[in-house]
Amino acid sequence: MNTIAWLLLLATLLPYVAAIAAKAGGKGFDNNQPRAWLQQLQGWRSRANAAQQNLFEGLPFFYAAALFALWRGVEPAVIAPWMVAWILVRLLYIGAYVSGRGTVRSLLWGIALALNIGILFAGL
């Protein structure tokens, strides 16, 4: 069960990877009004911020799928590989989003969704 906890934590940190990418080295960052500053970003920084938002949006389904599978009595060893795959795909998603590869990004998003569905129905 410790593995599941670590995987949930890693998933939680993914949006922060994108957020740090968006903010790191940016000029004029205003910590008093960070959202206004983020809205004016362009190029890869803007895409990193959008990736951050999407990653936060995807977390509830990931958590719910994993916790529902565990609640149904699915062994952690069964869902852990699916969760690892989801995290790896979402890391690739960040790279695709930041580098402006929209088609690859959308494909990776779809794969992550399929992995979530796999977690949700694991063990059936």
Side-chain angles (χ1 to χ4, degrees):
M1 196 62 101
N2 284 342
T3 301
I4 300 299
W6 283 108
L7 292 172
L8 290 171
L9 178 60
L10 282 174
T12 300
L13 297 176
L14 287 175
Y16 298 103
V17 171
I20 290 167
K23 295 175 184 177
K27 294 185 169 113
F29 179 71
D30 182 358
N31 201 37
N32 290 317
Q33 295 187 10
R35 292 179 190 234
W37 182 83
L38 288 166
Q39 290 301 315
Q40 58 86 29
L41 294 177
Q42 296 193 11
W44 70 268
R45 289 183 191 285
S46 176
R47 292 190 300 273
N49 183 50
Q52 168 199 200
Q53 292 170 346
N54 184 270
L55 289 159
F56 274 122
E57 292 164 0
L59 285 176
F61 185 24
F62 178 72
Y63 296 153
L67 295 174
F68 182 70
L70 292 170
W71 177 80
R72 283 190 9 260
V74 176
E75 289 295 320
V78 172
I79 63 169
W82 291 80
M83 294 173 72
V84 169
W86 186 88
I87 291 168
L88 293 174
V89 166
R90 293 301 266 178
L91 279 169
L92 292 171
Y93 173 88
I94 294 170
Y97 212 139
V98 170
S99 64
R101 293 186 160 91
T103 302
V104 174
R105 180 195 83 222
S106 294
L107 178 63
L108 291 167
W109 183 91
I111 292 168
L113 178 63
L115 288 166
N116 266 343
I117 293 168
I119 294 166
L120 186 67
F121 290 105
L124 292 181

